[in-house]
Amino acid sequence: MKTLRSSFKVPGGVHPDYRKQATRDKPVQVMPLPALLRVSMAQHMGAPAVPTVKKGAVVARGEVIGKAAGFISAAVHAPTSGTVKGIVDAPTAGGAVAPAVEIEPDGRDRWTDSLKARPDWRNAEAGELVAMAAAAGIAGMGGAGFPTHVKLSPPPDKPIDTLIVNGAECEPCLTADHRLMIEHADAIREGACIIRHILGARTLRVAVEDNKPEAVAAMEKALGGVEGDVAVVVLKTEYPQGAEKQQIYAITGREVPSGGLPMDVGALVENVGTCMAIRDAVVDGRPLTERVTTVTGTPLARPGNVLARLGTSYADLAGFCGGLMSPAAKVISGGPMMGLAQHSLDVTTSKTTSGLLFLSPDEVEAFTSLPCISCGRCVEACPAYLMPCEISRMVEAEDWEAAGWYDVMDCIECGCCAFECPARRPLVQHMRQGKAWIMAKRREQREKG
Amino acid sequence: MSEAENKMFLVSSSPHAHSGATVQRIMLDVILALMPALAVSVFRFGIDAARLVVTCVATCVIAEYLCRRAMGRQAAVNDLSAVVTGLLLAFNLPPALPSWMAVVGSIIAIVIAKQVFGGLGYNPFNPALIGRVALLVSFPAAMTTWSAWRIPAPLGGVEAVTQATPLGLLKTSLSTDGSMPYAFNGATAMQFLLGNQNGCIGEMSALALLVGGLYLLARRCISLHTPLCYLATVAVFAAVLYVVDPARNMTPLFHLLTGGLMIGAIFMATDMVTSPVTRKGMCVFGVGCGILTMVIRKWGGYPEGVSFAILLMNAVTPLINRATRPRVFGTGLRNA
Amino acid sequence: MILTTATAIGLMGLACGGALALAARFLSVREDPRVERAAELLPGANCGGCGYAGCADYAKAIVLEGAAINLCAPGGGEVIGKIAQLMGVEAAAAERKVALVLCGGDSGNAPRRFAYNGVADCRAAHAVDGGDKQCRYGCLGYGSCARVCPVGAIEITAGGLAVVHPGVCIGCGACVKACPRSLIRMVPVSRTIHVLCSSRDKGPIVKQACKVGCIGCTLCAKLADNGAIAMDGFLAVVDYDKELTNEAVVEKCPGKCIVQRSMEGATA
């Protein structure tokens, strides 16, 4: 086990005000069960799950309430024992509406035993462990929500030799992963080793930013006895140091090809939370039913890191943290750079809710955009080496082919460009428009030919 | 909780954080950076400098306001870009220029070079330079009438007899009898550095302009690439000429300190809207300006080539942008 | 002096003119004269509604590639008939259609649910948290349809609702493609009764979202003769191919979303 100090600088990148002081030293608090849980079927990338329970059903914690629909999909489980009040159409953090199972907790929190634990996972076949991850409904908890069992099944011609555990947490304000590493380093280690065993990866790296020295120390200690090419990599604090492709490049020197996936260069990245969830599923036989969310913001009375069941409403989360002392102008699910702004606190937590951020009116202003002044700050800041100002111009002119020529599809939507733009142009929104148009065109062509 | 729920939340696409930079702040920084040069010019030319600066800035601001009103577009005056254009245009005018000509130049700069294209961000050419060049071509006599120096030259320096700029002197004396107008020595260099030379009201003191340039660099309003490449190219070009024929060419230091080069390299060539966005592109732009400036100074009809050089390079900026597109992450692979 | 100049220029002019004449004669491209004639017959609006890049392109396609002759909606039956004559084929007459926005939710009827800050385009706004209207099917009013209209027939009212002026509309259909919520429908000019709602939500939800929304009570479907209004889930949809004569549906509709509106108007 070694500790590597990386001097890697993210190409471009920005230094926002990190504002982690409010919650970085607050241990994770377990939130008591709320009166109602609304568990969405669309908590992951891919097709939403299909509800498997009806109104009135009595469910145990960890029981399947939604089954995966298709290859890229994930199962959804009851976060606690109780009665199903109904299947409703509920808004998700992204604004879409998806079916959700409403459960009224009975307070007993009885677990199901449908998922058999495998504490001796070192003797298990990779296939069996991947099936357990699927049965546990695990999806990427860093924010993307990609079904983990799919990620852990690369095709045989793309072997993975490097597993990277992502503990960078580069988003300002968020400290959930930071606390997980401090408080559950051993669990994360075990989860990482399980994944390494599944993939047969030779190299294991745990990436942490240098603004989390306690987490670095905790992971160093936890990884002490692990055999083989194992290291904690301390990355310079910069946004977006946690971006998957850039992190792979930082640690292995390999660039994921444009339009490709990390497995194309023999690497795989998993969030620390996902590692822990894998461990809970394999070692304890527990499907994914809860996650740590950083609930923070100036209007909030008691910001903290909250371990809450999936399906907890944002209103209840805020209530557990003392409620709002002053009005919030903006509510964000996630962090300030890539998070989704919300219009209602009725939305519930999902597998990917890493943060809930409340911004006060003086931290937020409705912006008006000016025309681009070609200052070039966006070009400097882009971690994917794009020219956001040019793409934005093409999108505004609706010249979609030109936007594609300027590689809009390689945009990782990190927000560095819009963060820097003095003309307050809605660059990320333009990127999304360009991508949407190109994907629609590709779909059209696939259907035609 | 009801307080929060009564009012509507603000919802926008990510990101929800911002660096705080604004166009207005950038323009303000440019104005501040020009203050040392303004101080020197008012000190040197007194009321004339003040008159021209006030006329140009006021005309630019009013012209922009009226133009936007007439075009039915949103008011843009408070982004301070008209003030910057006015200042830069004034700095490019000789002190004795009649005020009405300054007004004409300002109107051309704002209306024709900027608003007609759509306003800030859409203009392909530097508006202040368009204004200056329009005046130069329309009123050549007035634009090349220089004032007498107010301060006598220091010992060993250039005599305060002529009313020409150093570059003007160079061109005329070379073309009349092929001789150099004076010896360029350390004292003359110091004189030019501090602003004791003739010329347009803003271009005299290389030192004041450099101080402003350092401020802009510190504030991230400009990057080092364009001015450095521009000045380096001029220096190298001049050095080559000097080495080949010292009798008919001035030293690189002379070329760096005289004419509109300092103000051009630091303030005009770095104008964001009309120069490339990529780092490589900025270097290409700087080198191109340098070459064109020296070519015009050495072989062109005009004694000073900075304005034309920058305008010509403005024209090819879109091409430079396309040609210096960075290699996108994940393309043109560099795999271990 | 002047004589020399005049002669020189005159001779040069003659020479150039002669060269041009010869070029026109010997270097000309042989083209089917019907292409030019067809282009003259087409309205010349270059709206692209036919799917080709302008009227000249469509004319070429008709004559040289055998494209269908009834694709020009702005031209209508008259033009189609003339082109049919030119090409010597049968003309299929179709009734002129104009665009209609099937939504009545302006700011007075349908509240917004958040303060949207971003690109003022309907597609973009729809992608941000599902759009800022309480009704997730309703018109967002950011003008994407108005911007693509080649003749400026669409107005975004002060209440933020897109409204088509039928007299100006040439029926090209560009607005139909532009709306991210597919609110615009091409309706025959003779029809006057319309359901101005596209919400597929259940009644109670619609009532919260809009004062003039379709609550799915099915009264109109029952009242309308010969199935001219049918229910699609919780939304009443007019079948414009059928004749709807029972005007009582307008007053009887409890949701107040059925209107009587003429689609005629002075043609552009």
Side-chain angles (χ1 to χ4, degrees):
Chain A
M1 213 309 284
K2 46 193 188 290
T3 302
L4 303 169
R5 300 236 155 218
S6 168
S7 57
F8 177 76
K9 198 205 147 318
V10 174
V14 294
H15 291 275
D17 186 7
Y18 286 101
R19 299 200 288 169
K20 300 201 187 219
Q21 294 82 346
T23 55
R24 75 190 295 289
D25 300 317
K26 298 224 176 124
V28 173
Q29 299 164 279
V30 180
M31 180 172 160
L33 293 167
L36 185 74
L37 291 166
R38 197 181 307 122
V39 190
S40 177
M41 293 292 110
Q43 298 195 32
H44 48 265
M45 219 188 258
V50 173
T52 54
V53 291
K54 288 205 166 51
K55 183 170 173 180
V58 173
V59 292
R61 182 172 176 187
E63 192 172 320
V64 174
I65 54 174
K67 63 172 192 275
F71 180 53
I72 300 188
S73 186
V76 180
H77 303 78
T80 186
S81 57
T83 319
V84 175
K85 297 302 279 182
I87 320 281
V88 296
D89 275 335
T92 60
V97 167
V101 175
E102 285 190 327
I103 296 175
E104 189 180 39
D106 59 13
R108 284 182 287 148
D109 213 28
R110 199 171 31 95
W111 271 101
T112 181
D113 56 1
S114 55
L115 186 63
K116 289 284 170 276
R118 199 64 159 94
D120 63 331
W121 50 266
R122 281 171 217 279
N123 303 328
E125 291 284 324
E128 186 190 335
L129 297 173
V130 171
M132 287 185 80
I138 300 176
M141 293 169 73
F146 192 77
T148 305
H149 66 278
V150 179
K151 201 162 171 182
L152 294 180
S153 320
D157 62 330
K158 302 235 158 111
I160 309 289
D161 64 77
T162 303
L163 170 66
I164 298 173
V165 175
N166 193 349
E169 201 164 42
C170 52
E171 276 268 12
C173 303
L174 301 187
T175 53
D177 288 350
H178 170 71
R179 293 310 309 177
L180 274 182
M181 286 188 283
I182 291 175
E183 299 172 30
H184 300 279
D186 289 327
I188 296 172
R189 179 214 52 229
E190 192 160 12
C193 291
I194 295 172
I195 299 175
R196 191 180 178 207
H197 173 80
I198 293 174
L199 297 169
R202 202 171 49 87
T203 308
L204 172 64
R205 295 280 181 267
V206 178
V208 192
E209 279 188 330
D210 63 12
N211 61 356
K212 307 184 213 337
E214 310 91 340
V216 170
M219 291 312 295
E220 281 173 335
K221 187 149 162 271
L223 288 171
V226 179
E227 284 177 16
D229 184 11
V230 178
V232 171
V233 181
V234 183
L235 297 167
K236 282 197 196 290
T237 301
E238 197 182 4
Y239 179 83
Q241 200 63 270
E244 188 177 59
K245 296 185 177 177
Q246 281 72 12
Q247 197 170 86
I248 291 173
Y249 180 65
I251 293 178
T252 65
R254 305 174 205 162
E255 249 182 66
V256 176
S258 162
L261 290 167
M263 63 170 155
D264 293 334
V265 293
L268 203 104
V269 181
E270 285 291 1
N271 174 266
V272 288
T274 316
C275 290
M276 215 174 118
I278 295 252
R279 182 236 161 249
D280 287 346
V282 169
V283 176
D284 292 339
R286 301 231 157 127
L288 185 53
T289 56
E290 61 187 3
R291 70 155 294 142
V292 178
T293 302
T294 303
V295 186
T296 183
T298 3
L300 198 62
R302 290 191 304 272
N305 302 292
V306 181
L307 177 65
R309 302 298 163 92
L310 302 180
T312 305
S313 79
Y314 291 173
D316 287 337
L317 265 183
F320 176 66
C321 292
L324 297 181
M325 301 179 296
S326 57
K330 211 170 190 184
V331 178
I332 298 164
S333 175
M337 294 301 287
M338 287 183 77
L340 301 161
Q342 303 300 306
H343 66 269
S344 155
L345 294 176
D346 281 339
V347 179
T348 59
T349 57
S350 70
K351 297 170 183 169
T352 57
T353 312
S354 48
L356 184 60
L357 173 61
F358 292 90
L359 294 175
S360 65
D362 26 77
E363 290 169 325
V364 153
E365 45 164 11
F367 58 84
T368 37
S369 303
L370 293 174
C372 171
I373 59 167
S374 299
C375 64
R377 290 179 187 200
C378 56
V379 179
E380 242 183 273
C382 180
Y385 297 126
L386 302 175
M387 293 175 80
C389 50
E390 296 299 317
I391 298 175
S392 162
R393 255 192 217 123
M394 299 303 130
V395 167
E396 262 191 339
E398 299 194 9
D399 187 349
W400 310 107
E401 272 91 18
W405 187 81
Y406 274 105
D407 299 295
V408 65
M409 295 309 287
D410 284 280
C411 170
I412 61 175
E413 295 177 30
C414 63
C416 290
C417 51
F419 179 82
E420 290 284 8
C421 181
R424 296 304 297 255
R425 291 180 63 67
L427 295 170
V428 179
Q429 210 177 356
H430 283 155
M431 298 288 157
R432 291 200 178 113
Q433 274 183 277
K435 283 180 170 185
W437 188 89
I438 290 178
M439 293 205 282
K441 272 284 147 180
R442 285 184 183 170
R443 218 178 301 133
E444 237 180 73
Q445 269 162 358
R446 264 205 309 269
E447 283 160 13
K448 262 196 226 163
Chain B
M1 285 307 293
S2 59
E3 266 183 318
E5 281 168 326
N6 279 342
K7 273 184 70 176
M8 287 200 298
F9 291 132
L10 190 68
V11 176
S12 70
S13 164
S14 62
H16 311 283
H18 190 257
S19 62
T22 59
V23 173
Q24 195 185 51
R25 184 65 235 211
I26 294 176
M27 295 297 155
L28 190 62
D29 281 335
V30 175
I31 294 171
L32 287 174
L34 286 168
M35 290 298 108
L38 180 63
V40 170
S41 79
V42 169
F43 178 67
R44 295 278 291 108
F45 295 117
I47 198 75
D48 273 339
R51 169 181 65 87
L52 280 174
V53 167
V54 168
T55 312
C56 287
V57 170
T59 316
C60 282
V61 170
I62 294 171
E64 181 153 288
Y65 176 71
L66 290 175
C67 204
R68 296 293 283 199
R69 277 279 297 268
M71 285 160 65
R73 295 204 173 204
Q74 249 184 341
V77 179
N78 39 351
D79 66 17
L80 295 182
S81 57
V83 175
V84 172
T85 305
L87 265 177
L88 286 174
L89 176 61
F91 280 12
N92 273 297
L93 303 175
L97 196 77
S99 296
W100 70 267
M101 288 187 193
V103 168
V104 169
S106 303
I107 292 177
I108 292 175
I110 291 292
V111 178
I112 296 181
K114 195 170 157 201
Q115 290 306 330
V116 155
F117 290 100
L120 183 67
Y122 295 108
N123 49 300
F125 295 106
N126 189 316
L129 283 179
I130 292 281
R132 176 200 144 89
V133 163
L135 286 177
L136 184 63
V137 163
S138 314
F139 312 112
M143 282 293 285
T144 48
T145 302
W146 311 102
S147 307
W149 291 11
R150 289 178 173 270
I151 300 172
L155 204 60
V158 185
E159 280 302 309
V161 174
T162 60
Q163 287 192 333
T165 62
L167 281 172
L169 268 177
L170 180 65
K171 191 136 264 195
T172 43
S173 93
L174 276 177
S175 55
T176 38
D177 57 14
S179 71
M180 301 292 264
Y182 45 74
F184 183 70
N185 53 31
T188 333
M190 186 55 73
Q191 188 182 336
F192 289 170
L193 184 71
L194 294 174
N196 205 353
Q197 57 172 311
N198 219 342
C200 296
I201 67 175
E203 60 190 28
M204 301 163 321
S205 169
L207 187 65
L209 292 165
L210 278 168
V211 165
L214 287 171
Y215 175 71
L216 286 181
L217 279 170
R219 295 281 303 166
R220 283 185 66 213
C221 294
I222 65 174
S223 80
L224 203 53
H225 300 71
T226 309
L228 193 63
C229 287
Y230 194 170
L231 294 171
T233 309
V234 166
V236 165
F237 202 123
V240 167
L241 287 176
Y242 182 69
V243 159
V244 163
D245 190 357
R248 296 178 58 85
N249 292 294
M250 281 295 207
T251 64
L253 195 58
F254 172 86
H255 279 287
L256 285 177
L257 295 175
T258 55
L261 183 64
M262 269 303 166
I263 194 172
I266 298 173
F267 292 93
M268 318 290 270
T270 54
D271 172 47
M272 297 165 163
V273 179
T274 53
S275 62
V277 279
T278 58
R279 292 294 168 93
K280 250 192 274 179
M282 290 178 194
C283 295
V284 169
F285 188 85
V287 168
C289 284
I291 294 175
L292 287 170
T293 303
M294 283 310 296
V295 163
I296 297 174
R297 279 186 180 183
K298 176 69 187 158
W299 293 290
Y302 288 93
E304 174 55 287
V306 170
S307 315
F308 297 107
I310 297 178
L311 286 176
L312 286 167
M313 290 309 291
N314 283 160
V316 295
T317 292
L319 284 174
I320 297 177
N321 273 332
R322 280 182 65 134
T324 57
R325 227 161 51 104
R327 178 192 68 84
V328 171
F329 190 90
T331 60
L333 300 213
R334 305 198 299 238
N335 277 327
Chain C
M1 196 32 195
I2 297 184
L3 195 57
T4 340
T5 319
T7 324
I9 305 262
L11 284 173
M12 274 199 285
L14 268 173
C16 290
L20 282 169
L22 287 169
R25 190 81 197 285
F26 296 108
L27 299 177
S28 63
V29 175
R30 283 284 142 80
E31 203 183 59
D32 192 329
R34 291 182 300 172
V35 173
E36 207 183 310
R37 182 78 190 106
E40 273 167 33
L41 287 173
L42 290 170
N46 286 322
C47 69
C50 53
Y52 291 92
C55 301
D57 198 35
Y58 183 40
K60 215 193 269 187
I62 292 176
V63 177
L64 301 174
E65 294 162 28
I69 63 163
N70 59 349
L71 297 176
C72 179
E78 203 186 308
V79 165
I80 293 173
K82 290 205 182 114
I83 294 186
Q85 246 182 342
L86 176 69
M87 298 299 298
V89 294
E90 284 295 310
E95 191 182 353
R96 178 165 162 257
K97 285 188 176 166
V98 290
L100 177 65
V101 178
L102 296 182
C103 176
D106 62 7
S107 56
N109 293 325
R112 302 259 169 194
R113 58 184 181 173
F114 59 79
Y116 171 61
N117 192 205
V119 179
D121 172 74
C122 302
R123 240 169 240 288
H126 180 66
V128 175
D129 208 19
D132 62 338
K133 261 253 181 65
Q134 187 91 312
C135 173
R136 59 196 181 102
Y137 297 92
C139 171
L140 290 166
Y142 288 107
S144 297
C145 53
R147 279 192 287 274
V148 296
C149 178
V151 294
I154 305 185
E155 180 198 336
I156 309 294
T157 63
L161 178 67
V163 173
V164 181
H165 292 278
V168 186
C169 174
I170 59 170
C172 70
C175 53
V176 177
K177 294 181 210 129
C179 179
R181 296 180 163 189
S182 305
L183 290 174
I184 306 185
R185 202 169 155 191
M186 302 306 293
V187 312
V189 286
S190 58
R191 302 284 180 243
T192 57
I193 296 186
H194 312 282
V195 175
L196 286 191
C197 181
S198 308
S199 171
R200 290 184 149 67
D201 276 330
K202 290 192 194 136
I205 300 178
V206 171
K207 271 214 162 97
Q208 275 195 320
C210 183
K211 290 188 191 150
V212 292
C214 172
I215 57 172
C217 66
T218 76
L219 201 56
C220 55
K222 295 189 183 109
L223 279 175
D225 31 37
N226 66 4
I229 300 185
M231 295 307 293
D232 178 3
F234 294 99
L235 176 66
V237 178
V238 176
D239 183 351
Y240 289 107
D241 288 336
K242 303 201 166 86
E243 184 109 25
L244 174 57
T245 48
N246 188 353
E247 293 170 10
V249 293
V250 178
E251 299 107 55
K252 291 288 203 299
C253 170
K256 310 225 179 333
C257 59
I258 305 188
V259 299
Q260 185 152 29
R261 192 186 287 177
S262 165
M263 293 289 110
E264 302 277 4
T267 43

